[in-house]
Amino acid sequence: MSFTLAAYIARTFLQRLGLVLVIVAVLIIIGDLIEMARNLGSSGAGGVEVFTMALLHMPTVLGSTLPFVFMLASMAAFLQLARSSELVVTRAAGVSAWRLILPVMLCAGVLGVVAFAALNPIAATTLSRYETMNARYFKGQASLLSVSGKGLWLRQAEESGQTVIRAARSNADGTRLLLPTLFRFDENGRLVGRIEAESAELSPGVGAWIMADATEWRFGPELADAALPVARDEITVPTTLTSERILDGFAPPQSLSFWDLPRFIAILEAAGFTADRHRLYYQAELAKPLLFMAMVLLGGAFSMRTTRFGGVGIMILAAVMTGFVLFFVSDVTQALGGSGALPPLIAVWVPPASAMLGAMGLLFYLEDG
């Protein structure tokens, strides 16, 4: 097959891909606008803020639909070539189905690399901004948890102000803190107390942090600036935090750039938390080229058969159903990987590899009997 023909097929696919991307992006924005409009009255956000949030959220949602977008674009490209009889002519000239679909697969593989190397950081940035605006206008709260190379920080709101806790490490579910330091602030943001301890245990039944071997300082207008410390064996600090709320306070992996994920995973594990969710997401981004190639091969296997056998509607439906089955299997394996039941490599790479092998087998069967 000549380079001119390969470039023409690739250009046809890229044109259809751009069209499908625009349609899906518009649908995502409209869906987000409808969803946010339901709570617009009590949110305090205006029309400009809501539309900005919809635009910021769109790249992340679009990224999750990209496998289907690539499959639909592949089908649209080959159906167009079939309607114009270009596929018939090229097949009559001795060009095999494998050589016809190869340019499309190469484009999908390159775009898969671009997706995690360039588009992912953009989507992560917009999602972070979206989460900030969503917390301000719709949730009414900021993040409860922050993790850095110097430890972790927790924030809990109280009627008389707020409490900030810094700890060197934590256990996997966030219920036990090592070397915690607690800072108490009043409603005006003034520091009114500090507690340092060897450890802090979250007691769900009591609804409090039990701080062992603690030293407390109290500050206030009526006290000296450098208040004398008071040592205690145990100090109970009321809290509304739970293990679930602490773990949910992590920044979702989608809000982190692909290039920042390895460093964040290392920080997370150094703080004592499990990083299975983030490690799984990192592997899923690396698997995008293989997944996109599998989806375009799947779409081509179904759509190219229609040039000789008809039944366009049935073949499109079969392709869409196959794509949904792949999505379901991938979702199940990633859920198992996120819970630690499967290694991330198996949970992420087996579904696209299986889809690739299945699509190759289907194309062998349909084209070569």
Side-chain angles (χ1 to χ4, degrees), residues 67 253-254 276-277 279-285 287-288 291 326-352:
Q254 293 84 358
D276 288 343
R277 251 194 334 154
R279 198 179 297 278
L280 193 74
Y281 180 74
Y282 182 74
Q283 291 296 328
E285 290 296 305
K288 275 185 175 179
L291 179 59
L326 173 61
F327 176 80
F328 175 76
V329 173
S330 178
D331 195 47
V332 170
T333 57
Q334 291 196 27
L336 293 174
S339 65
L342 283 178
L345 288 176
I346 295 178
V348 170
W349 288 91
V350 167

Side-chain angles (χ1 to χ4, degrees), residues 4 8 11 15-16 31 36 52 97-98 130 171 182 204 219 239-240 264 276 284 331 333-334 337 366:
T4 302
Y8 175 72
R11 185 171 66 250
Q15 290 172 349
R16 291 296 170 267
M36 286 185 286
T52 301
W98 295 101
Y130 166 80
N171 62 348
L182 183 147
F219 309 101
T239 182
T240 57
F264 185 81
D276 288 343
D331 195 47
T333 57
Q334 291 196 27
L366 295 178

Side-chain angles (χ1 to χ4, degrees), residues 68-146:
F68 287 102
V69 169
F70 272 76
M71 184 183 70
L72 293 175
S74 174
M75 296 182 67
F78 285 110
L79 287 174
Q80 177 187 344
L81 294 175
R83 283 195 300 268
S84 61
S85 300
E86 290 169 300
L87 277 184
V88 176
V89 173
T90 53
R91 295 299 299 276
V95 180
S96 68
W98 295 101
R99 296 176 68 185
L100 285 172
I101 204 171
L102 181 61
V104 177
M105 291 182 63
L106 291 177
C107 286
V110 172
L111 290 175
V113 175
V114 173
F116 73 73
L119 298 182
N120 174 271
I122 296 174
T125 302
T126 58
L127 181 62
S128 297
R129 178 59 180 163
Y130 166 80
E131 292 288 348
T132 301
M133 296 182 68
N134 191 41
R136 179 189 307 167
Y137 292 116
F138 291 94
K139 294 182 180 180
Q141 62 180 14
S143 175
L144 299 173
L145 176 65
S146 175

